[in-house]
Amino acid sequence: MLDFDLTEEQRLLEQSVREWGAREVAPKIHDLDREHRFDRNILPQMAKLGLLGCSVPVEYGGAGMDYVSLGIVSEELEYVDTSLRVIMSVHAGLNCLSLLTWGTEDQKQRYLVPQAQGHKIATYGLTEPAAGSDVRGIQTVAVKKGDRYYLTGEKMWISLADVADNFLVFAWTDMEKKKQRDPSGISAFILERAFKGFSSGTLKEKWGILAGNTGFFKMEDVEVPETNLVGKPGEGFKIAMFALDQGRYTVAAGATGLVRACRDASVKYAKERKAFGSAIAEYQLVKEMIAQMESDYQAARLLWLRAGFLKNNGRRNTRETGLAKWFATVASERAAGDAVQVHGANGYSDEYPVGRFYRNCKGAVIYEGTREIHKIMQADYVLGFRQDRPTRCELPAHKA
């Protein structure tokens, strides 16, 4: 029989993250959002709770929690604000789990351990000004000279770009394959902010996730030691896609938390607001919107839990994680739109949180595989046009 109950440890984690978010972040998130300000003090607090190394084994400085716990953390953080979950996505999901799986022992000791402990903050650099869903369109190049690579290019729409210490970056190392758009010519590297030729900046004109840091970074002949090559030369595309499996998982769980936040805010308001002599919660079309939020929340949670179960057991979950990400993010957009509608004119103001939910939800429908990309992927799975092939390195199963 399947057991859908969380373990005692998972329930305690859920409670502790929920209480921390409500106590330390929720009271000030409105002002942080209005001021477009990222609060760096949040990071050491998350580190103290063990969140930044959530699913990294203890021997590498992490908390040793399972992958379902990573989903729980992501859901609870986004319930407070999307900017908190984004930290987990890029630091823990995209970067740390990639180093855990593909990194050398030396790389794990030098980078994964301090990242898992929260002494260093990490992110992921794939997207460029002219390349998003089309990974083969990236223009960053890495030229090898002796035992060094020299990276030149620009990455855009990078979460924590102006905050992170370490970056997992993708670049062409085979120029002939670049001309042919052959992804086996892409490699992955670990860059440090302190490397000469590296510079970054913050994007100021975002529409949502205003309490988070999003920016760009540039590389001008950044010298990277060969020991910072992740995986083998030419494995960058595979590593990038592997990383997205982990990032999409946190996005799916996070979007589920946003659906719940929309539901809870709508329930509270609908009971308080009166129209035509009755609380609007009494009206059928308001109930319909709240019912849809509840349905979407329960379905989205089951989808990310299934992906987490597969991860825990060392089973490939690209298909399941993609479906969870697609469903949950589209559901969060629907829930946020309906939450604004339930609030009426007040939903269009900044007095209530649902306007922030509405601005924040849209990003996840675009990044880490657009809604349209995931639709095509899921159709291709069903039609038999797509199959996930084994890779040289797979996410390790959780060891209790």
Side-chain angles (χ1 to χ4, degrees), residues 25 77 119 143 189 245:
V25 184
L77 291 178
H119 299 318
V143 178
F189 301 89
D245 276 355

Side-chain angles (χ1 to χ4, degrees), residues 59 81 108 169 197 214 302 353 364:
E59 57 264 36
D81 191 68
K108 292 174 186 177
V169 177
T214 309
L302 287 172

Side-chain angles (χ1 to χ4, degrees), residues 325-326 330 333 362 365-366 369-375:
K325 190 272 183 185
W326 171 39
V330 171
E333 186 177 21
K362 188 61 182 179
V365 183
I366 299 171
T370 65
R371 172 183 59 201
E372 290 72 24
I373 289 290
H374 282 288
K375 280 185 179 180

Side-chain angles (χ1 to χ4, degrees), residues 128 130-131 136-141 152-153 155 172 178:
E128 297 187 359
R136 293 173 175 85
I138 67 171
Q139 296 301 309
T140 299
V141 297
T152 299
K155 300 296 181 178
W172 289 100
K178 180 177 183 294

Side-chain angles (χ1 to χ4, degrees), residues 64-193:
M65 302 180 201
D66 70 342
Y67 301 112
V68 169
S69 294
L70 176 60
I72 290 170
V73 171
S74 299
E75 180 177 322
E76 291 302 324
L77 291 178
E78 186 144 2
Y79 183 86
V80 179
D81 191 68
T82 304
S83 62
L84 298 179
R85 189 271 306 153
V86 167
I87 296 169
M88 294 299 297
S89 289
V90 298
H91 175 90
L94 290 166
N95 192 299
C96 286
L97 292 184
S98 295
L99 294 189
L100 174 67
T101 306
W102 293 84
T104 63
E105 186 62 28
D106 171 65
Q107 290 169 351
K108 292 174 186 177
Q109 294 298 330
R110 287 192 294 130
Y111 294 106
L112 181 58
V113 170
Q115 288 173 191
Q117 294 172 338
H119 299 318
K120 297 290 185 180
I121 302 302
T123 190
Y124 177 86
L126 180 63
T127 301
E128 297 187 359
S133 299
D134 180 16
V135 175
R136 293 173 175 85
I138 67 171
Q139 296 301 309
T140 299
V141 297
V143 178
K144 189 177 183 186
K145 298 177 183 178
D147 61 352
R148 297 284 191 272
Y149 284 91
Y150 292 83
L151 272 65
T152 299
E154 180 178 359
K155 300 296 181 178
M156 180 66 76
W157 293 108
I158 306 302
S159 299
L160 302 184
D162 231 11
V163 173
D165 303 291
N166 302 329
F167 302 78
L168 181 60
V169 177
F170 300 86
W172 289 100
T173 48
D174 188 318
M175 301 311 135
E176 285 302 314
K177 289 183 177 180
K178 180 177 183 294
K179 294 177 183 178
Q180 301 164 12
R181 289 173 52 86
D182 178 350
S184 66
I186 297 173
S187 300
F189 301 89
I190 302 169
L191 270 66
E192 298 178 24
R193 177 175 295 280

